[in-house]
Amino acid sequence: MLRAARRVGYVFSGGSSRCAFQLGVIEVLAELGVRPALAIGVSAGAWNAAIVAARIETRGRYYWRSFFRMPRVDLRKLLTDHSPWRYREMHARNFARFVGDRLRRTDALPLFISVTRLRDRRGAIFSVAEVDDAFELLLATNYLPPFYTHPPRIAGERYGDGGISDNAPYEKAFAEGCDAVVLMAMKGESEGGIYKNRSDIDHVIPEALRSRVVVIRPRHRLPVPFTEGRWSVLSRLIDLGRLRTREILLGERHEQTDLRANGISPSLRVVRLLRAMRWM
């Protein structure tokens, strides 16, 4: 279905550090010859969307690894920002190094970002092409206290984390002319439907669109904290994304993606998996 589609849209849901999983999805899709026409990102997924839009998919692992090599805390910031977290500085450095003006080049893909207007919690989706500062837009969809203390202003309004209002804006891809969508969601299949927003935590894609949306997400809840900063853990998460994508698109079976394999209960399987991957 993806290879036959004329325009494929990539939609990246948020999920903080767990979005490293999405890098594995990007890698396998590229290996299979799937070429996106546009990218839409939410929260941490927006950085992956930017990687795709900037046409630097082959540098995705370098982007993420560079980010997690930087110190995340500086106590001196308590005096200026009332928070010790350095996420803004870290993102600014990586964005400038890897993405920067590439989003303005003629070969860049259209990039859309889902954000939430803070004054009324209403959602909005902006195109990078219609804002003055692409970085501020991507930072806005990641704004979540206490990790960020100054919400970015876009078009005169303060905006925050897009996952609050629309964490799976696949409809936007169809509105932009796509005939197929790859939705990379971070909520595990065993946890229920797709997390769309706070009032729609078990979202089901409408039947009219279901055949045109390929959902790639973990089988079960990822046993990784949102603020995970160890590359040894995140690189394995990327590999898990690769296996899961091949499982969904090619019908391969990988025990590593199924916590119920061999009749082992999910809780026990999680413990064993964590120990094997040195997460515990």
Side-chain angles (χ1 to χ4, degrees):
M1 184 261 282
L2 294 178
R3 287 178 177 175
R6 292 175 292 102
R7 284 176 58 84
V8 179
Y10 284 5
V11 179
F12 299 84
S13 295
S16 195
S17 295
R18 298 177 182 181
C19 288
F21 175 94
Q22 297 170 351
L23 287 182
V25 181
I26 294 171
E27 291 177 353
V28 172
L29 288 172
E31 292 167 5
L32 295 177
V34 180
R35 298 291 179 261
L38 57 83
I40 303 173
V42 187
S43 194
W47 307 112
N48 290 333
I51 289 171
V52 170
R55 313 298 291 271
I56 58 168
E57 296 96 324
T58 57
R59 304 191 71 192
R61 294 193 185 225
Y62 296 105
Y63 185 106
W64 275 70
R65 187 167 189 175
S66 179
F67 181 87
F68 287 102
R69 281 175 171 170
M70 293 180 271
R72 292 182 293 172
V73 174
D74 183 349
L75 295 180
R76 292 173 298 180
K77 289 179 60 60
L78 286 169
L79 300 176
T80 56
D81 289 353
H82 311 293
S83 171
W85 300 102
R86 297 184 60 252
Y87 285 125
R88 180 185 178 91
E89 292 89 339
M90 294 162 68
H91 280 301
R93 177 180 173 182
N94 255 19
F95 187 84
R97 178 182 177 188
F98 290 94
V99 179
D101 293 336
R102 289 183 176 87
L103 293 177
R104 303 293 185 184
R105 294 181 182 177
T106 55
D107 64 340
L109 300 180
L111 174 60
F112 300 88
I113 303 298
S114 172
V115 292
T116 302
R117 192 165 57 195
L118 295 181
R119 65 179 172 87
D120 58 7
R121 295 295 191 268
R122 296 194 64 176
I125 298 178
F126 287 98
S127 167
V128 163
E130 64 185 4
V131 299
D132 296 329
D133 191 330
F135 173 71
E136 287 296 315
L137 177 59
L138 269 72
L139 196 66
T141 192
N142 282 271
Y143 171 76
L144 192 66
F147 306 110
Y148 305 90
T149 54
H150 303 295
R153 188 182 294 274
I154 308 296
E157 291 276 2
R158 296 289 187 183
Y159 286 92
D161 197 296
I164 297 174
S165 55
D166 194 347
N167 196 45
Y170 58 87
E171 301 95 336
K172 178 63 175 177
F174 289 118
E176 292 296 322
C178 291
D179 52 355
V181 171
V182 178
L183 171 59
M184 302 170 218
M186 301 315 305
K187 183 180 175 182
E189 282 187 349
S190 65
E191 298 180 86
I194 298 167
Y195 182 88
K196 183 80 166 165
N197 53 52
R198 290 180 176 178
S199 61
D200 189 4
I201 62 174
D202 285 310
H203 178 75
V204 176
I205 297 172
E207 187 174 354
L209 298 177
R210 206 169 299 161
S211 64
R212 294 194 286 155
V213 180
V214 177
V215 179
I216 302 179
R217 56 176 174 152
R219 278 187 173 275
H220 304 283
R221 181 179 177 83
L222 294 175
V224 180
F226 280 176
T227 57
E228 178 60 65
R230 292 170 293 172
W231 177 247
S232 60
V233 174
L234 296 177
S235 62
R236 290 179 173 88
L237 204 58
I238 297 171
D239 293 337
L240 182 64
R242 289 183 57 86
L243 293 176
R244 184 63 175 141
T245 304
R246 295 186 66 86
E247 187 175 67
I248 291 173
L249 298 183
L250 302 178
E252 297 178 356
R253 183 66 174 177
H254 298 282
E255 181 182 337
Q256 297 95 320
T257 69
D258 187 357
L259 300 181
R260 292 186 173 86
N262 300 324
I264 299 175
S265 67
S267 58
L268 179 57
R269 182 65 178 170
V270 166
V271 172
R272 291 184 179 179
L273 182 62
L274 288 173
R275 285 175 178 168
M277 300 174 75
R278 296 184 181 180
W279 284 338
M280 291 186 65

